[in-house]
Amino acid sequence: MSGAVTPPIALTIAGSDSSGGAGIQADLKTFTALGVYGASVLTALTAQNTRGVTAIHAVPPHFVAEQIDAVASDLNIGATKTGMLNDRATVLAVAEGVRRHDLHPLVVDPVMVATSGDLLLEHDAVDAVRDVLLPLADLITPNLAEAATLLSASIAVSESEMESQARALLALGPKAVLIKGGHGEGADAVDILVSDQTSALRIVRPRVATRNTHGTGCTLSAAIAAYLARGESLADAVQLAKKFVHEALVSASQQQLGGGSGPVDHLYAISRLIKF
C-alpha cells in the first residue's frame, strides 16, 4: 500500500498469566501503552491469580520454535524480550530461535519466581539461562534474588554489592546488566546498570507503598524492549522504562484487583486520555 507506515514492533517470548497482570498479557499491554505493535510467542500457560500460581502447562519446545519462526519470518521485529521460559529445553529452543532470526536487541528477564513466590523456572534450566541465553543478550534484567541465583552467591545488600554482581554477570557474556533493587530496603528503589562502555549508572525512583506489584519485572523489561524498538539508546530506554513502571505502580496503589498482590496499572497513561 502506497504511503503505508510500519509501526515499531516488539516481540515477547514468555508465559501466559491467566489473571492478566504479568507475563505475555503484561508485555502486550505495555507495548500498546507505549505505542508499539506487540507480537508474542507463548512458552507456557499458567493457572494463576493475584494470590499465586496453581498450575503450569508447558508449551512443547518445538512449538515454541515454530511460533518464533512464524513471527520472525513475517514481521520486522525491532526488539525482543524473554520472560518465563519454564524449562531447559525451552531455553535452548528460544536461544536457537534468537540466533536463527537475529532477534536483537534482546532483553532477557531471567524470570525464576513469581511475585507470589511460586517457581517459574525449573532448577535444571538455570544453567541453560546462564550459559546459553545470557551470552546472546543485549541486556539482562535480574532482580536481587535472580542475580544471586545466577552467580550462586548471596543476595546483594548494598549498592556496591549490586554493582559487583552486575559486573560478574557482565563477564558471562551479555552486553549490559540491569540489577533491579525493587525488592531491597530503603525509601528509594535503586537499579544499577552496567556495560563495558560506561561506568555504572544509578537509576533511582521513590519506593511506592503498595501491595500491587504483580508483573513489575515483566513490565519493566517489556517497556525497555518497547523503547528500544522505538529507537532509543539502551541507557535512555532503561530510564524511560523505570519511569513508566514507577507511574504504573503509583496508579496501581489506588486500585483494588483481586485478594492478593494486584497488578501494576499498565494502562495508566491511556486512562488519562479517555473519558469514561
Side-chain angles (χ1 to χ4, degrees):
M1 182 183 299
S2 177
V5 176
T6 300
I9 301 170
L11 170 64
T12 171
I13 305 174
S16 169
D17 172 6
S18 54
S19 69
I24 288 283
Q25 288 84 348
D27 296 343
L28 293 177
K29 290 174 187 177
T30 300
F31 293 162
T32 299
L34 294 176
V36 172
Y37 181 87
S40 62
V41 169
L42 268 70
T43 59
L45 308 179
T46 69
Q48 69 173 294
N49 54 32
T50 62
R51 294 187 174 93
V53 180
T54 58
I56 295 174
H57 180 71
V59 173
H62 73 85
F63 190 68
V64 173
E66 289 176 8
Q67 292 177 78
I68 294 173
D69 290 345
V71 173
S73 65
D74 186 46
L75 299 179
N76 184 19
I77 298 167
T80 304
K81 68 147 286 187
T82 67
M84 177 189 178
L85 300 181
N86 190 63
D87 54 50
R88 179 179 178 84
T90 299
V91 174
L92 297 177
V94 169
E96 182 55 35
V98 169
R99 293 192 198 96
R100 188 163 58 250
H101 296 286
D102 191 23
L103 296 176
H104 295 280
L106 174 66
V107 180
V108 173
D109 184 13
V111 175
M112 297 180 184
V113 179
T115 301
S116 60
D118 295 289
L119 187 68
L120 296 178
L121 183 70
E122 295 179 1
H123 292 295
D124 66 353
V126 175
D127 287 348
V129 170
R130 181 176 55 239
D131 300 336
V132 180
L133 193 58
L134 295 197
L136 298 175
D138 294 277
L139 175 71
I140 65 172
T141 62
N143 60 30
L144 296 174
E146 290 160 349
T149 299
L150 289 167
L151 294 169
S152 299
S154 300
I155 293 177
V157 295
S158 67
E159 289 184 34
S160 62
E161 289 184 4
M162 288 173 65
E163 182 176 346
S164 293
Q165 290 196 359
R167 296 206 177 278
L169 288 168
L170 195 65
L172 297 177
K175 292 181 180 178
V177 178
L178 177 70
I179 290 193
K180 303 175 293 190
H183 292 95
E185 304 291 334
D188 292 326
V190 180
D191 297 349
I192 303 293
L193 175 66
V194 302
S195 69
D196 287 334
Q197 284 71 41
T198 61
S199 57
L201 178 62
R202 184 173 180 266
I203 306 169
V204 185
R205 286 281 167 177
R207 198 175 297 279
V208 179
T210 178
R211 70 175 184 175
N212 295 331
T213 59
H214 183 55
T216 308
C218 302
T219 303
L220 179 66
S221 57
I224 294 170
Y227 281 117
L228 289 172
R230 287 172 49 172
E232 300 289 348
S233 69
L234 179 63
D236 286 347
V238 169
Q239 294 186 83
L240 288 166
K242 176 85 170 180
K243 180 179 184 295
F244 177 83
V245 172
H246 176 77
E247 294 295 336
L249 283 165
V250 170
S251 181
S253 69
Q254 307 301 313
Q255 296 181 343
Q256 177 67 49
L257 283 167
S261 177
V264 303
D265 184 8
H266 305 92
L267 303 182
Y268 73 90
I270 295 175
S271 299
R272 293 173 183 172
L273 299 174
I274 299 174
K275 303 297 184 183
F276 290 102

